[in-house]
Amino acid sequence: MAVAIHHIVIDAHDLPGLARFWAAVLRWQVVSEREREVIIGPDRDAAWGICFMPVTEPKQVKNRLHFDLNADSAEDRLAEIDRILALGAQRIDIGQTGDESWTVLADPEGNEFCVVRPKHDLIG
């Protein structure tokens, strides 16, 4: 028997707030909400999801792991960036040159993630 991902866990100060942000970004839903754990996923029966757990210390350095999100087309990518910014993300600078095929954003608690070119644009 092999192991499989059950949850990706994100430490958070505002569990419900950060969970709802990511649920909106991914068009997922909150599937479980407890005092010390909020889980989101595509649906209640999904094989895996994202779990938000409480932490007291502030985030201090760049994430060692981050999400790369993509859209169906370049136009959709720009629209998705605008939508995600409206949800509470912000653009951040981690040393980009401006020629990258991705845009770096941060969630409301400062966790970096990227919105990349559609996969079919990267082939070749």
Side-chain angles (χ1 to χ4, degrees):
M1 179 175 188
V3 297
I5 291 176
H6 177 65
H7 290 137
I8 295 171
V9 179
I10 298 176
D11 292 342
H13 288 278
D14 176 6
L15 276 60
L18 198 58
R20 282 178 177 64
F21 168 82
W22 278 105
V25 166
L26 298 170
R27 292 185 167 92
W28 284 7
Q29 59 185 280
V30 174
V31 297
S32 174
E33 187 167 352
R34 298 184 182 135
E35 183 179 344
R36 299 190 48 80
E37 172 187 270
V38 180
I39 300 169
I40 67 170
D43 60 62
R44 291 199 174 276
D45 299 322
W48 70 280
I50 301 174
C51 177
F52 298 86
M53 301 289 293
V55 65
T56 57
E57 67 274 0
K59 179 181 178 299
Q60 295 183 16
V61 298
K62 181 180 174 290
N63 295 0
R64 296 196 62 179
L65 173 75
H66 69 269
F67 296 123
D68 279 352
L69 310 176
N70 70 346
D72 292 332
S73 70
E75 296 79 22
D76 289 343
R77 178 181 168 274
L78 297 175
E80 281 299 295
I81 290 169
D82 288 341
R83 183 182 72 83
I84 294 167
L85 289 168
L87 291 171
Q90 57 185 304
R91 293 178 187 271
I92 61 166
D93 182 358
I94 59 166
Q96 306 94 301
T97 65
D99 294 327
E100 292 81 10
S101 61
W102 61 85
T103 300
V104 183
L105 302 176
D107 71 18
E109 292 200 11
N111 299 300
E112 302 90 1
F113 63 98
C114 298
V115 182
V116 302
R117 285 191 333 216
K119 284 187 177 184
H120 57 77
D121 287 355
L122 297 173
I123 299 170

